[in-house]
Amino acid sequence: LEPVRIQESAVDGTKKFLFEGEQEEKEEEDILEQNTSLLKEKKKGKASKLTKILDFSYPPLMELKERDAVAFKHSVLVSELSSQVAKVISCDANIVKAGGLYHEIGQGLGEDYIKEGVKICKMYQLPKEVIQIVEEHNTKIAKPTSKEAAIVMLSDSIITNMEQSRKKENGENISASRLIQRVFRSEEHTSELQ
Protein backbone atom coordinates (compact mmCIF):
# COMPACT_ATOMS: atom_id res chain seq x y z
CA LEU A 1 0.00 0.00 0.00
CA GLU A 2 2.83 2.48 -0.53
CA PRO A 3 3.27 3.42 3.17
CA VAL A 4 5.67 6.30 2.52
CA ARG A 5 3.37 7.93 -0.02
CA ILE A 6 0.35 7.49 2.24
CA GLN A 7 2.31 8.96 5.18
CA GLU A 8 3.39 11.97 3.09
CA SER A 9 -0.19 12.45 1.89
CA ALA A 10 -1.47 12.22 5.44
CA VAL A 11 1.03 14.86 6.59
CA ASP A 12 0.07 17.18 3.72
CA GLY A 13 -3.64 16.58 4.19
CA THR A 14 -3.42 17.00 7.93
CA LYS A 15 -1.48 20.24 7.66
CA LYS A 16 -4.12 21.59 5.29
CA PHE A 17 -7.03 20.21 7.24
CA LEU A 18 -6.42 19.77 10.94
CA PHE A 19 -7.09 22.56 13.28
CA GLU A 20 -4.02 24.57 14.11
CA GLY A 21 -5.19 26.99 16.80
CA GLU A 22 -7.79 29.48 15.55
CA GLN A 23 -8.43 27.68 12.26
CA GLU A 24 -10.79 25.21 13.96
CA GLU A 25 -13.94 27.28 13.51
CA LYS A 26 -13.03 28.14 9.90
CA GLU A 27 -12.44 24.46 9.06
CA GLU A 28 -15.75 23.42 10.65
CA GLU A 29 -17.55 26.16 8.69
CA ASP A 30 -15.89 24.94 5.46
CA ILE A 31 -17.06 21.37 6.13
CA LEU A 32 -20.62 22.54 6.71
CA GLU A 33 -20.45 24.72 3.60
CA GLN A 34 -19.31 21.75 1.51
CA ASN A 35 -22.21 19.74 2.89
CA THR A 36 -24.57 22.57 1.96
CA SER A 37 -23.33 22.43 -1.63
CA LEU A 38 -24.12 18.69 -1.63
CA LEU A 39 -27.66 19.58 -0.59
CA LYS A 40 -27.95 22.04 -3.48
CA GLU A 41 -26.79 19.34 -5.93
CA LYS A 42 -29.34 16.98 -4.44
CA LYS A 43 -32.15 19.50 -4.91
CA LYS A 44 -31.14 20.01 -8.55
CA GLY A 45 -31.77 16.32 -9.17
CA LYS A 46 -28.10 15.47 -9.62
CA ALA A 47 -27.88 13.34 -6.50
CA SER A 48 -26.31 9.95 -6.66
CA LYS A 49 -26.52 7.41 -3.86
CA LEU A 50 -23.13 8.65 -2.61
CA THR A 51 -24.27 12.26 -2.61
CA LYS A 52 -27.31 11.27 -0.58
CA ILE A 53 -25.35 9.34 2.05
CA LEU A 54 -22.77 12.13 2.37
CA ASP A 55 -25.53 14.59 3.26
CA PHE A 56 -25.46 15.27 7.00
CA SER A 57 -29.26 15.20 7.04
CA TYR A 58 -29.34 11.57 5.83
CA PRO A 59 -31.24 9.65 8.57
CA PRO A 60 -28.44 7.47 10.00
CA LEU A 61 -26.12 10.48 10.28
CA MET A 62 -28.84 12.54 11.95
CA GLU A 63 -29.42 9.68 14.39
CA LEU A 64 -25.70 9.44 15.18
CA LYS A 65 -25.49 13.20 15.71
CA GLU A 66 -28.43 13.06 18.15
CA ARG A 67 -27.19 9.90 19.89
CA ASP A 68 -23.49 10.84 20.17
CA ALA A 69 -22.46 14.31 18.99
CA VAL A 70 -18.80 13.64 19.79
CA ALA A 71 -18.72 10.49 17.62
CA PHE A 72 -20.47 12.43 14.83
CA LYS A 73 -17.90 15.25 14.90
CA HIS A 74 -15.07 12.70 15.05
CA SER A 75 -16.53 10.91 12.01
CA VAL A 76 -16.77 14.18 10.07
CA LEU A 77 -13.10 14.91 10.80
CA VAL A 78 -12.03 11.38 9.79
CA SER A 79 -14.11 11.69 6.64
CA GLU A 80 -12.55 14.98 5.61
CA LEU A 81 -8.97 13.92 6.29
CA SER A 82 -9.56 10.59 4.52
CA SER A 83 -10.90 12.26 1.40
CA GLN A 84 -7.89 14.63 1.28
CA VAL A 85 -5.49 11.68 1.37
CA ALA A 86 -7.55 9.68 -1.15
CA LYS A 87 -7.33 12.51 -3.68
CA VAL A 88 -3.54 12.60 -3.41
CA ILE A 89 -3.10 8.86 -4.03
CA SER A 90 -5.86 8.57 -6.64
CA CYS A 91 -8.41 6.55 -4.69
CA ASP A 92 -12.16 7.11 -4.91
CA ALA A 93 -12.41 10.14 -2.60
CA ASN A 94 -16.20 9.92 -2.24
CA ILE A 95 -16.14 6.25 -1.19
CA VAL A 96 -13.36 7.05 1.29
CA LYS A 97 -15.23 10.12 2.52
CA ALA A 98 -18.38 8.05 3.05
CA GLY A 99 -16.37 5.32 4.80
CA GLY A 100 -14.92 7.89 7.17
CA LEU A 101 -18.32 9.41 7.81
CA TYR A 102 -19.96 6.05 8.60
CA HIS A 103 -17.09 4.27 10.38
CA GLU A 104 -18.58 5.07 13.82
CA ILE A 105 -22.25 4.87 12.82
CA GLY A 106 -22.93 2.03 15.28
CA GLN A 107 -21.57 3.92 18.31
CA GLY A 108 -23.85 3.79 21.33
CA LEU A 109 -25.98 0.94 20.01
CA GLY A 110 -24.42 -2.02 21.76
CA GLU A 111 -21.17 -3.65 22.76
CA ASP A 112 -20.05 -4.31 19.17
CA TYR A 113 -20.42 -0.93 17.49
CA ILE A 114 -18.89 -2.23 14.24
CA LYS A 115 -21.45 -5.02 13.93
CA GLU A 116 -24.22 -2.51 14.70
CA GLY A 117 -22.75 -0.10 12.15
CA VAL A 118 -22.71 -2.77 9.44
CA LYS A 119 -26.39 -3.53 10.17
CA ILE A 120 -27.26 0.15 9.74
CA CYS A 121 -25.24 0.41 6.53
CA LYS A 122 -26.97 -2.64 5.08
CA MET A 123 -30.38 -1.40 6.17
CA TYR A 124 -29.79 1.86 4.26
CA GLN A 125 -28.21 -0.02 1.33
CA LEU A 126 -24.89 1.80 1.45
CA PRO A 127 -22.35 0.77 -1.21
CA LYS A 128 -20.48 -2.45 -0.41
CA GLU A 129 -17.17 -0.56 -0.43
CA VAL A 130 -18.42 1.70 2.37
CA ILE A 131 -19.62 -1.31 4.38
CA GLN A 132 -16.20 -2.90 3.92
CA ILE A 133 -14.53 0.23 5.31
CA VAL A 134 -16.86 0.19 8.33
CA GLU A 135 -15.95 -3.47 8.93
CA GLU A 136 -12.20 -2.95 8.51
CA HIS A 137 -11.41 0.46 10.00
CA ASN A 138 -10.38 -0.88 13.42
CA THR A 139 -7.10 -2.83 13.39
CA LYS A 140 -8.00 -4.56 16.65
CA ILE A 141 -10.80 -6.31 14.78
CA ALA A 142 -9.80 -6.59 11.12
CA LYS A 143 -6.95 -5.89 8.73
CA PRO A 144 -7.83 -3.45 5.93
CA THR A 145 -8.02 -5.21 2.57
CA SER A 146 -8.23 -2.09 0.41
CA LYS A 147 -6.40 1.22 0.13
CA GLU A 148 -9.67 2.95 0.98
CA ALA A 149 -10.10 1.02 4.24
CA ALA A 150 -6.44 1.61 5.14
CA ILE A 151 -6.83 5.35 4.57
CA VAL A 152 -9.84 5.51 6.88
CA MET A 153 -8.08 3.35 9.49
CA LEU A 154 -5.06 5.68 9.47
CA SER A 155 -7.16 8.84 9.43
CA ASP A 156 -9.17 7.50 12.37
CA SER A 157 -5.91 6.88 14.26
CA ILE A 158 -4.57 10.33 13.40
CA ILE A 159 -7.75 12.14 14.46
CA THR A 160 -8.05 10.02 17.63
CA ASN A 161 -4.42 10.79 18.53
CA MET A 162 -4.99 14.48 17.85
CA GLU A 163 -8.08 14.50 20.07
CA GLN A 164 -6.24 12.65 22.85
CA SER A 165 -3.15 14.86 22.63
CA ARG A 166 -5.30 17.96 23.03
CA LYS A 167 -6.81 16.53 26.20
CA LYS A 168 -3.44 15.49 27.62
CA GLU A 169 -1.59 18.65 26.68
CA ASN A 170 -4.27 21.05 27.91
CA GLY A 171 -5.37 22.00 24.43
CA GLU A 172 -1.88 22.59 23.04
CA ASN A 173 -1.53 21.46 19.46
CA ILE A 174 0.97 18.78 18.58
CA SER A 175 2.59 19.21 15.18
CA ALA A 176 0.85 17.31 12.41
CA SER A 177 4.12 15.75 11.25
CA ARG A 178 4.99 14.48 14.73
CA LEU A 179 1.52 13.10 15.27
CA ILE A 180 1.48 11.25 11.95
CA GLN A 181 4.96 9.84 12.50
CA ARG A 182 3.73 8.51 15.85
CA VAL A 183 0.77 6.80 14.16
CA PHE A 184 2.89 5.32 11.38
CA ARG A 185 5.55 4.08 13.80
CA SER A 186 2.98 2.19 15.78
CA GLU A 187 3.59 -1.51 15.25
CA GLU A 188 -0.15 -2.03 14.95
CA HIS A 189 -0.35 0.18 11.84
CA THR A 190 3.02 -0.56 10.25
CA SER A 191 2.08 -4.20 9.81
CA GLU A 192 -1.26 -3.21 8.30
CA LEU A 193 0.39 -1.24 5.49
CA GLN A 194 2.71 -3.93 4.18
Side-chain angles (χ1 to χ4, degrees), residues 2 4 20 29 42 87 90 97 102 110 123 136 164 170 178 187 193:
E2 309 171 31
V4 173
E20 304 283 352
E29 287 171 15
K42 184 178 171 183
K87 289 174 190 171
S90 302
K97 187 172 190 162
Y102 285 85
M123 183 171 70
E136 298 177 357
Q164 289 172 353
N170 299 320
R178 195 171 109 212
E187 289 179 37
L193 295 174

Side-chain angles (χ1 to χ4, degrees), residues 75-143:
S75 295
V76 169
L77 295 175
V78 170
S79 173
E80 290 299 315
L81 178 57
S82 296
S83 70
Q84 295 255 348
V85 173
K87 289 174 190 171
V88 173
I89 63 169
S90 302
C91 287
D92 187 329
N94 284 329
I95 288 289
V96 172
K97 187 172 190 162
L101 201 52
Y102 285 85
H103 83 282
E104 301 282 321
I105 201 70
Q107 281 290 0
L109 294 176
E111 287 184 32
D112 188 344
Y113 80 96
I114 292 177
K115 189 181 236 180
E116 295 299 323
V118 169
K119 283 183 196 174
I120 291 168
C121 291
K122 288 180 178 178
M123 183 171 70
Y124 283 93
Q125 300 176 341
L126 270 60
K128 66 181 184 327
E129 298 90 349
V130 175
I131 295 170
Q132 177 188 4
I133 292 170
V134 171
E135 290 174 320
E136 298 177 357
H137 81 276
N138 186 325
T139 57
K140 293 175 184 160
I141 297 168
K143 182 177 180 176

Side-chain angles (χ1 to χ4, degrees), residues 63-80:
E63 291 167 14
L64 176 62
K65 188 175 183 179
E66 289 171 16
R67 184 174 64 248
D68 190 339
V70 173
F72 176 77
K73 182 177 179 180
H74 168 84
S75 295
V76 169
L77 295 175
V78 170
S79 173
E80 290 299 315

Side-chain angles (χ1 to χ4, degrees), residues 103 151 160 185:
H103 83 282
I151 289 169
T160 299
R185 270 187 282 195

